[in-house]
């Protein structure tokens, strides 16, 4: 046990836990094969580096929790102080290494290897326990628990500055990928080359934010979706956080991540402990797709998703705040006719909510619009064969609301005297209020750390879920906190969702934060869907879904068919492109279907039927993406775990670079098996700019006969080739006009 060696699914981890210092990660990366104790000792010994001139007089090795005490002058793993005393680096000593030993509250998945490392600094009266897990899929999780071991209740607390997970990566992992973005443009990839120093991404939004770094990936130069070695970390946390890559001139490179704590935010009292969120760390020798191939099955192994993802109709872009029973009943009827399975009533249903300036927090059904409550609408929805979902934003409050007037002390950051009391103007926070906290979308945050506010909002949610047969909550969060403790608010949020789920286990939850501003593995443990972005523009969505799905499996990613002209961009897209884009996720509609024409409704009905047929594949398969040489053309797909079938999309984002574009190469199939490839029609065919299609698509029967593949009903030509040929040589692509997508079914015939 002094040199623990964990191996799973092509990944391994070797620690040197000999001696009395903090254990060192000797290796995190590719599987090193069967190593005996003797060979492990040789590896650990051989990993001790030279001592460089003008340096500390012992070899510098990055430990699990590096600090100045070890001679590490990069970002420390832990920092803090006791009031009245100067902050000093901890001098942690190894107390124990144990296999197993996670606390009882932790779910442990079958086959997971675990390690618990206990460290103490007796003089500082601090202990740290590090939990490590390696799942059967090769996903590594780490977290620390810091305990103030001073049992004297009168003693000063330990003021925690930071407690982070730091993992070494080899020097060759010098190219970085992380993400940024903004509202309706989430998950924009950004690449950089790491020189000496720190590339650090920090979120102080009180939620990860639209610009969330999401994943911090370090890889070998030029890594892509299918190639290169990559090491990636993600913090499973929905509050403030930071993620960084560091390349020290001392000769160590590392990825770090942890909760971002404000000064004084976290005091660890005598005999108390603080446990960090998990850092999830993944290695792949096969590029970004290799990360997804580990992360998706692992997430699926603990996912709360219980059944097939229903087709949703969300009312937001159809009616916004204009709610009335006849209009919504007509919309529900139109939805039911095309095959929608869940009708979700978005914002606008509660007392006085006529626009986005008021009423958040007053979670009572508006008595004017709904004199008989929501019952008539829900009964109508049920009679039409759908279940019912409701939008809420439990963490928020409008200053112009009964609840803020009654309890200004529940508003995070406080409310100025002129803004509380009666008759608060909608703009009071932005204009008239002297509160130091600026409004955002004219709203403020409810202080969930206040037990009364927490109890009240839980009681309102419980009342709604008890009175109405609600299958689904769309749980929104539309502003940055900008006040209070993000830690306190985030832990209270988790408690609140957990309490709602415990009391109403059948109710599904979709997490939304102005679209995709809170997509992380902390929230994902608690919800069944995330709203990927507020944009339904398929061109934006292609990129957002492509990159969001590196971490999150597609069945979580809400994707809606919107109106022809996207409300967020003003761009007009053809129906077939919108359908092909929304298909690859948890599909839905956000469009006033009562305005769609007969032809459109027929295509939508066909699309929904296809989706229902395809979702077992789309929501269990392996996500694959090509590395295009022409950035205007992207191919992505989902391959069944048994490699019997697959669905691919060839997407033209813009005009191609060449008159005849590069071939479509289909990754992820079994090299030796033979597959029939055929185009899947989905409503109207995609618009092309070709005088004639590629030969294999032109002539039914010429290359192996017309197909009836995973989608059923394929038309046109098809071809039968081996998985190796399809991956290595590929097939000529149809000449798609810009902003078009063609779908292809791929079915094994042996
Ligand atoms: C922001 C969400 O992202 C939208 O989908 C919609 O639910 C609105 N909030 C409602 O206010």
């Amino acid at each position: 046990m002094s040199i623990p060696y964990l191996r799973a699914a092509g990944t391994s981890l070797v620690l040197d836990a000999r001696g009395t210092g903090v254990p060192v990660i000797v290796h995190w990366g590719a599987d090193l094969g069967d190593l005996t104790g003797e060979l492990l000792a040789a590896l650990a010994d051989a990993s001790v580096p030279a001592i460089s001139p003008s340096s500390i007089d012992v070899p510098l090795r990055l430990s699990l929790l590096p600090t100045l005490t070890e001679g590490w002058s990069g970002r420390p793993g832990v920092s803090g102080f006791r009031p009245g005393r100067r902050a000093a680096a901890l001098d942690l000593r190894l107390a124990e290494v144990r296999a197993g030993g996670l606390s009882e509250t932790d779910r442990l998945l079958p086959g997971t290897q675990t390690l618990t490392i206990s460290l103490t600094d007796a003089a500082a009266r601090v202990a740290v326990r590090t939990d490590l897990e390696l799942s059967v899929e090769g996903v590594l999780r780490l977290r620390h628990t810091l305990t103030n071991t001073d049992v004297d209740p009168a003693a000063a607390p330990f003021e925690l500055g930071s407690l982070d997970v730091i993992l070494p990566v080899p020097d060759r992992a010098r190219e970085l990928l992380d993400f940024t973005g903004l509202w309706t443009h989430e998950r924009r990839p950004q690449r950089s080359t790491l020189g000496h120093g720190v590339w650090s991404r920090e979120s102080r939004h009180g939620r990860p934010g639209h610009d969330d770094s999401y994943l911090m990936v370090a890889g070998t130069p030029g890594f892509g979706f299918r190639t290169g070695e990559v090491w990636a970390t993600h913090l499973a946390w929905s509050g403030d956080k930071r993620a960084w890559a560091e390349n020290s001139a001392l000769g160590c490179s590392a990825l770090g991540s942890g909760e971002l704590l404000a000064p004084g935010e976290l005091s660890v009292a005598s005999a108390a402990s603080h446990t960090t969120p998990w850092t999830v760390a993944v290695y792949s020798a096969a590029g970004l797709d290799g990360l997804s191939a580990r992360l998706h099955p692992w997430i699926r192994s603990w996912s709360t998703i219980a059944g097939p993802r229903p087709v949703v109709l969300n009312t937001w872009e159809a009616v916004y705040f204009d709610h009335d029973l006849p209009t919504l009943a007509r919309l529900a009827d139109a939805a039911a006719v095309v095959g929608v399975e869940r009708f979700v009533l978005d914002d606008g249903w509660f007392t006085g909510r006529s626009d986005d300036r008021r009423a958040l927090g007053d979670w009572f059904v508006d008595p004017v619009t709904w004199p008989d409550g929501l019952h008539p609408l829900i009964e109508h929805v049920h009679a039409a064969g759908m279940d019912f979902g409701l939008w809420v934003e439990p963490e928020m409050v409008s200053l112009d609301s009964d609840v803020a007037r009654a309890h200004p002390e529940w508003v995070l950051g406080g409310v100025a005297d002129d803004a509380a009391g009666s008759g608060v103007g909608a703009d009071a926070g932005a204009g008239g209020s002297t509160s130091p906290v600026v409004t955002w979308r004219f709203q403020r945050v409810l202080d969930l750390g206040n037990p009364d506010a927490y109890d009240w909002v839980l009681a309102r949610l419980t009342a709604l879920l008890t009175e109405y047969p609600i299958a689904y909550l769309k749980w929104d969060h539309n502003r940055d906190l900008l006040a209070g403790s993000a830690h306190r608010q985030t832990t209270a949020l988790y408690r609140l969702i957990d309490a709602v789920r415990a009391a109403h286990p059948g109710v599904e939850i979709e997490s939304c934060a102005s679209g995709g501003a809170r997509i992380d593995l902390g929230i994902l443990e608690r919800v069944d869907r995330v709203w990927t972005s507020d944009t339904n523009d398929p061109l934006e969505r292609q990129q957002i879904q492509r990159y969001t799905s590196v971490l999150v499996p597609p069945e979580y990613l809400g994707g809606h068919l919107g109106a022809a002209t996207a409300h967020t961009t003003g761009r007009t897209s053809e129906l077939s492109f919108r359908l092909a884009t929304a298909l690859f996720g948890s599909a839905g509609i956000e469009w006033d279907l009562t305005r769609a024409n007969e032809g459109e409704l027929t295509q939508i009905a066909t699309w929904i039927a296809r989706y229902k047929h395809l979702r077992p594949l789309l929501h269990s398969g392996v996500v694959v993406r090509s590395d295009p040489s022409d950035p205007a053309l992207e191919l992505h797909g989902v391959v069944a775990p048994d490699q019997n079938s697959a669905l691919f999309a060839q997407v033209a984002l813009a005009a191609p670079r060449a008159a005849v574009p590069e071939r479509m190469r289909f990754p992820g199939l079994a090299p030796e098996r033979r597959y029939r490839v055929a185009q899947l029609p989905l409503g109207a065919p995609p618009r092309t700019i070709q005088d004639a299609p590629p030969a294999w698509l032109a002539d039914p029967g010429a290359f192996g006969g017309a197909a009836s593949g995973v989608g059923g009903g394929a038309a046109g030509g098809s071809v039968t080739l081996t998985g190796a040929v399809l991956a290595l040589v590929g097939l000529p692509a149809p000449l798609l006009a810009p902003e078009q997508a063609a779908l292809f079914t791929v079915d094994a015939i042996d």
Side-chain angles (χ1 to χ4, degrees), residues 641-665:
D642 60 10
Q643 294 175 305
N644 276 338
S645 60
L647 182 77
F648 286 92
Q650 164 81 350
V651 183
L653 302 169
R657 185 162 74 179
V660 175
E662 65 176 335
R663 285 171 177 241
M664 305 180 293
R665 294 193 294 146

Side-chain angles (χ1 to χ4, degrees), residues 353-674:
R353 181 67 167 175
S354 51
D355 59 26
D356 61 6
R357 297 182 168 225
R358 65 202 83 246
L360 287 173
D362 293 347
W363 303 114
F364 297 90
V365 177
D366 186 83
V368 179
T369 311
W370 304 101
D372 299 312
L374 294 175
H375 293 291
L377 177 65
I378 297 178
E379 280 159 19
H380 192 92
V381 165
H382 283 175
M386 299 176 288
D387 68 25
F388 181 79
L390 190 66
W391 179 94
V392 287
E393 196 175 359
E395 301 151 78
M396 296 295 156
V397 60
S398 304
L399 291 181
D400 186 3
S401 67
D402 291 343
V403 71
R405 278 184 282 273
H407 293 286
E409 75 281 9
W410 290 359
V411 179
L412 198 68
V415 175
D417 289 346
D418 62 336
S422 60
V424 174
D427 289 324
S433 165
T434 53
S435 166
V437 184
V438 67
T439 53
W440 175 312
R441 206 193 186 207
F442 313 103
Q443 66 194 56
R444 295 282 299 276
V445 181
L446 193 71
D447 181 3
L448 291 181
N450 178 321
D452 294 335
Y454 175 96
D455 287 347
W456 183 84
V457 78
L458 177 59
R460 287 314 312 144
L461 291 172
T462 304
L464 287 165
L465 292 170
T466 306
E467 178 173 359
Y468 295 107
I470 292 169
Y472 179 81
L473 289 177
K474 176 178 174 184
W475 186 303
D476 211 342
H477 181 281
N478 283 308
R479 64 161 288 164
D480 287 5
L481 298 194
L482 306 180
S485 161
H487 178 82
R488 188 169 104 138
Q489 187 75 4
T490 307
T491 49
L493 163 71
Y494 286 171
R495 265 190 291 123
L496 183 63
I497 301 180
D498 293 347
V500 169
R501 290 206 76 124
H504 305 275
V507 176
E508 294 193 357
I509 297 179
E510 171 182 23
S511 172
C512 169
S514 324
R518 188 159 72 186
I519 300 182
D520 61 82
L521 295 183
I523 205 80
L524 218 69
E525 278 192 34
R526 299 171 162 83
V527 301
D528 309 282
R529 191 186 206 236
V530 289
W531 184 223
T532 320
S533 174
D534 267 357
T535 190
N536 294 315
D537 179 331
L539 193 62
E540 302 294 333
R541 276 293 186 138
Q542 283 290 339
Q543 295 306 302
I544 294 168
Q545 291 170 194
R546 185 175 180 84
Y547 288 102
T548 307
S549 67
V550 174
L551 171 67
V552 177
E555 61 269 28
Y556 278 98
L557 301 179
H560 290 175
L561 170 68
T565 299
H567 292 200
T568 53
T569 60
R571 188 186 283 125
T572 298
S573 309
E574 284 176 33
L575 182 56
S576 66
F577 188 42
R578 281 140 60 210
L579 294 173
T581 303
L583 184 72
F584 285 87
S586 170
I589 298 173
E590 197 168 330
W591 178 15
D592 184 356
L593 287 182
T594 63
R595 291 167 189 261
N597 63 39
E598 276 309 309
E600 289 170 330
L601 290 171
T602 305
Q603 292 185 50
I604 294 168
T606 308
W607 169 72
I608 291 180
R610 291 256 193 275
Y611 170 76
K612 290 176 180 171
H613 186 77
L614 286 163
R615 65 188 161 191
L617 163 69
L618 292 171
H619 297 167
S620 70
V622 180
V623 175
V624 294
R625 309 129 181 126
S626 67
D627 284 307
S629 57
D630 180 348
L633 300 172
E634 287 180 348
L635 183 128
H636 66 94
V638 181
V639 180
D642 60 10
Q643 294 175 305
N644 276 338
S645 60
L647 182 77
F648 286 92
Q650 164 81 350
V651 183
L653 302 169
R657 185 162 74 179
V660 175
E662 65 176 335
R663 285 171 177 241
M664 305 180 293
R665 294 193 294 146
F666 300 90
L669 304 168
E672 308 296 332
R673 297 178 71 183
R674 290 187 301 155

